Amino acid sequence: MSDVSCRGATANDMIVGQVVEASDGTKTRLAPQIDALNSSTDVVLVSAGGNDLGFAAILFKCLALAAQGPVPSGSATCSQDFVKDGSDQLASQLTETVKPALDALYEQISERAPHAKKFAFTY
């Protein structure tokens, strides 16, 4: 069994490798997580997409809009901050950024581990 999980990676980072920064400011490129897969891989667990969407920033922004939130934005609801000129910015980002990134990742997983059982799960 190999565990190549990490935090903060985007779907593309899983394919090309992720750059991480140490507390002293030095940066290191990690090997692509996808490299851990091969034709003998039995199971693949994937939790991806949130960093492509910017989930943490969205969460903190929405929490800030709560009555006791730390930073008022002037909006009455979280959803108001993500709808601009009648266009849902999060829905657009899911369609234009997250979906293609996950499609590419899942395609690579299937190519490298064609017989594996594949599971996608949430954070």
Side-chain angles (χ1 to χ4, degrees):
M1 182 173 103
S2 295
D3 179 359
V4 292
S5 58
C6 67
R7 65 183 184 123
T10 63
N12 191 57
D13 289 337
M14 293 179 181
I15 297 170
V16 301
Q18 179 184 14
V19 175
V20 294
E21 187 171 343
S23 59
D24 66 0
T26 59
K27 295 181 181 180
T28 305
R29 179 170 287 281
L30 301 177
Q33 292 168 289
I34 199 88
D35 287 351
L37 305 179
N38 58 52
S39 61
S40 65
T41 300
D42 295 322
V43 176
V44 178
L45 304 173
V46 178
S47 179
N51 292 319
D52 295 277
L53 182 63
F55 180 74
I58 294 166
L59 177 66
F60 288 123
K61 185 171 192 167
C62 290
L63 288 174
L65 294 175
Q68 291 76 29
V71 183
S73 72
S75 298
T77 67
C78 180
S79 62
Q80 287 179 342
D81 275 1
F82 296 104
V83 175
K84 306 290 184 209
D85 299 322
S87 174
D88 185 332
Q89 301 299 303
L90 293 180
S92 295
Q93 191 170 347
L94 283 169
T95 301
E96 296 168 13
T97 303
V98 178
K99 182 184 182 316
L102 290 178
D103 286 347
L105 174 61
Y106 295 151
E107 182 178 327
Q108 285 287 315
I109 291 169
S110 291
E111 285 178 12
R112 292 179 186 235
H115 306 294
K117 291 182 182 176
K118 299 155 187 89
F119 300 92
F121 60 98
T122 61
Y123 297 111

